[in-house]
Amino acid sequence: MYRLPIPDMAELASWSRANTEVDAVFFHDPVNWEWAQFRYLAERPVFTTWKDASAVLWDPGFAEEWERRFAAFGFEGDLRDRWDLSRHGETKRIRKALMSHYRDMKDRDLLALAETYRIDYWIAPVETPSSFRQVATAGRFKILDIR
């Protein structure tokens, strides 16, 4: 079933496609389903998403990199639990904790990620305090240039 993108995300994706380098890497909430279409609409790479785990179906080695990225993002635990369908409540708890962690991120958290992974832009809630230069805004979100 196809979902229409949320307007804020679609507007930021359009801005990103028109105003950033083709290889610019974006960091957005990796577990919020509403942002799953950003990579496609912006035609730009992203740090990771929860849905990227499905790549394990055609590239089993990718699971390790996906888990490394979520660990760097701040998840402590075994993400393989998310595939255990009998533990659906645990998966919801994990996603909720990760979404909360994303909302609480600070500049230093992004800089720590950027030491290991390339990240050029951070899509953050507008209320997120930051010393990074704001380059775009749409509704509830803003894009910060962390380079």
Side-chain angles (χ1 to χ4, degrees), residues 8-25:
D8 299 350
M9 186 272 297
E11 186 176 335
L12 291 177
S14 179
W15 179 90
S16 300
R17 191 175 55 254
N19 294 285
T20 66
E21 305 82 13
V22 173
D23 63 343
V25 179

Side-chain angles (χ1 to χ4, degrees), residues 12-140:
L12 291 177
S14 179
W15 179 90
S16 300
R17 191 175 55 254
N19 294 285
T20 66
E21 305 82 13
V22 173
D23 63 343
V25 179
F26 287 78
F27 181 87
H28 61 67
D29 184 341
V31 294
N32 187 330
W33 303 123
E34 293 180 327
W35 286 90
Q37 298 170 329
F38 180 84
R39 177 188 288 140
Y40 168 74
L41 294 173
E43 299 175 9
R44 300 293 184 271
V46 299
F47 171 72
T48 196
T49 71
W50 188 258
K51 288 188 170 195
D52 287 348
S54 62
V56 73
L57 298 173
W58 58 88
D59 184 4
F62 181 75
E64 291 176 17
E65 178 60 23
W66 182 79
E67 282 192 319
R68 270 193 296 276
R69 287 176 181 253
F70 267 96
F73 167 57
F75 178 74
E76 297 174 7
D78 189 351
L79 285 167
R80 287 173 285 228
D81 287 345
R82 88 187 278 295
W83 300 115
D84 183 349
L85 297 179
S86 68
R87 298 182 63 155
H88 179 69
E90 180 68 4
T91 298
K92 287 178 73 174
R93 185 196 64 74
I94 290 168
R95 287 189 66 241
K96 188 174 181 179
L98 289 169
M99 289 173 86
S100 177
H101 178 66
Y102 166 78
R103 284 190 301 273
D104 294 339
M105 291 187 81
K106 308 283 186 263
D107 289 359
R108 68 178 176 274
D109 301 316
L110 259 292
L111 290 173
L113 275 176
E115 286 180 11
T116 304
Y117 299 97
R118 179 177 174 191
I119 298 174
D120 301 303
Y121 297 95
W122 175 18
I123 301 174
V126 292
E127 65 273 6
T128 301
S130 177
S131 62
F132 296 127
R133 184 171 62 96
Q134 182 175 318
V135 293
T137 187
R140 300 173 295 145

